Amino acid sequence: MSARTLTLLCCLWWSSVEPTPNSEAGKKLEYLVEPPHHVEVTAHRGEAAVLPCILRLSPDHYNIKWTKQGGAPVGLENIVLIANARSFKPYGHFRSRASPRRAHVMDASLLLSELQLDDGGLYRCELINGIMDESIAVTLTIIGVVFPYQSQNGRYSLTFQEAAAACAEQDGMLATYQQLYQAWIDGLDWCNAGWTRDGSVHYPILQPRPGCGTEPVPGIRSYGPKDKLRDRFDAFCFTSATPGSVFFAPGSFSFQQAEPACLHLGARLALVGQLYSAWRFQNLDQCDGGWLKDGSVRYPIRSPRKRCGGVPGAGVRSFGFPDQKKHLYGAYCYRA
């Protein structure tokens, strides 16, 4: 199948995305304050976030129901919290992390603590007053970084489930198309196709070149949805800030020596996602290849320079998966 292209023309991108209304279409809100525009809240993993929802009038008897839209069948699975003026009950994996903010008597905002990678998405604050209800929508965006991931078994060797597991093993999760699109805008140029969270397969190209599709313009090349059980590609993973830090342990280690070297320094051998997070959020810049937990060797560059990979842009460079017995590289360690 020939690859389709999302071109640089922003108008084509935005015209393909349906606007998210603040409230139900055509319904005038009586009890909730309607924001002047769609609200987007951004935060890193591990932080707390407040999703605003304010009452303009308070009925005598009402409930507030917060739900996360999409990704689960309708029911208890996507309910975040139900509250009234006196009490509240959180649900699901939000059970210990969700509560009403209640900064004042008209405040129905949702407070989420210790944000996780999969908390991002569209949320709805619904006021239920007897048989009447009305709602507003709020988007929560987890700030992060997308990284391409290839198995030790080589290019295009991961089914969808294997790709999801590989991202999780490297402190990430499969990226959404929107996250991949943002990464492309931020400079991601990668000529290998990878799975994204909805089961579709893409690859982002900023500099068209032979062997990277036939389109002459930059864009996100798409193979569309693929067979999750039979088709095999690489993966595009998404991660965010971590509570710890990554540092380089100099030396000439084999892979088997790298983990003990980190343990000696009170740390563990870093995961690929942790290295990308440190590069993106802690400005880690080190022109030395180092072992990672998956057996790959990489190094992070924030300020490109001569004799440091020969690539003009910033990024995490990779030597792939070298012979684990060779004593050639240091180690990247993660200390929580």
Side-chain angles (χ1 to χ4, degrees), residues 5 7-8 205-209 212-219 221:
T5 301
T7 71
L8 274 171
I205 297 297
L206 285 172
Q207 299 179 4
R209 53 202 182 272
C212 288
T214 59
E215 299 292 340
V217 296
R221 318 298 194 226

Side-chain angles (χ1 to χ4, degrees), residues 43-317:
H44 294 92
R45 174 175 55 181
E47 294 180 339
V50 173
L51 309 188
C53 182
I54 306 299
L55 303 180
R56 60 192 298 267
L57 293 174
S58 180
D60 291 336
H61 303 284
Y62 70 92
N63 287 325
I64 294 291
K65 180 171 74 172
W66 276 97
T67 55
K68 186 172 186 286
Q69 307 298 296
V74 175
L76 292 180
E77 291 85 356
N78 65 354
I79 297 176
V80 178
L81 176 144
I82 296 177
N84 57 31
R86 297 174 301 279
S87 61
F88 69 93
K89 182 179 180 180
Y91 288 82
H93 79 284
F94 295 99
R95 189 177 301 274
S96 62
R97 301 186 295 118
S99 61
R101 181 177 64 168
R102 290 180 174 168
H104 50 80
V105 294
M106 308 300 275
D107 187 10
S109 302
L110 175 67
L111 173 62
L112 293 178
S113 61
E114 300 177 7
L115 291 175
Q116 301 175 5
L117 291 177
D118 60 351
D119 285 345
L122 182 67
Y123 290 76
R124 190 164 292 279
C125 172
E126 181 182 6
L127 183 143
I128 303 170
N129 180 28
I131 62 172
M132 306 295 293
D133 66 272
E134 59 187 47
S135 63
I136 63 166
V138 180
T139 294
L140 173 62
T141 298
I142 304 298
I143 302 169
V145 58
V146 171
F147 61 95
Y149 190 76
Q150 187 175 106
S151 166
Q152 191 168 358
N153 295 325
R155 183 173 183 256
Y156 295 172
S157 61
L158 299 171
T159 65
F160 176 78
Q161 294 298 335
E162 290 169 346
C167 288
E169 289 172 359
Q170 300 307 318
D171 191 44
M173 63 185 304
L174 278 175
T176 64
Y177 179 85
Q178 290 75 17
Q179 289 165 344
L180 180 62
Y181 177 81
Q182 184 62 52
W184 173 66
I185 290 176
D186 293 340
L188 182 60
D189 181 283
W190 197 255
C191 197
N192 290 338
W195 292 104
T196 55
R197 199 179 307 172
D198 64 355
S200 59
V201 174
H202 313 272
Y203 61 102
I205 297 297
L206 285 172
Q207 299 179 4
R209 53 202 182 272
C212 288
T214 59
E215 299 292 340
V217 296
I220 297 183
R221 318 298 194 226
S222 174
Y223 293 113
K226 304 299 288 184
D227 189 314
K228 294 181 179 181
L229 298 177
R230 296 193 306 170
D231 290 326
R232 293 179 180 271
F233 295 93
D234 293 342
F236 286 105
C237 306
F238 174 80
T239 193
S240 184
T242 65
S245 60
V246 173
F247 62 92
F248 179 70
S252 296
F253 307 126
S254 67
F255 176 67
Q256 288 73 20
Q257 293 171 329
E259 181 75 51
C262 290
L263 289 172
H264 180 71
L265 298 170
R268 300 298 299 266
L269 205 54
L271 305 174
V272 176
Q274 292 168 341
L275 182 64
Y276 269 90
S277 177
W279 166 76
R280 174 66 175 82
F281 299 111
Q282 299 172 12
N283 295 317
L284 183 62
D285 184 290
Q286 183 78 37
C287 194
D288 298 281
W291 293 105
L292 296 175
K293 184 71 174 178
D294 67 338
S296 65
V297 171
R298 307 171 195 252
Y299 61 101
I301 297 297
R302 293 293 297 178
S303 301
R305 51 204 182 271
K306 293 182 180 180
R307 299 182 181 178
C308 209
V311 180
V316 175
R317 318 284 194 242

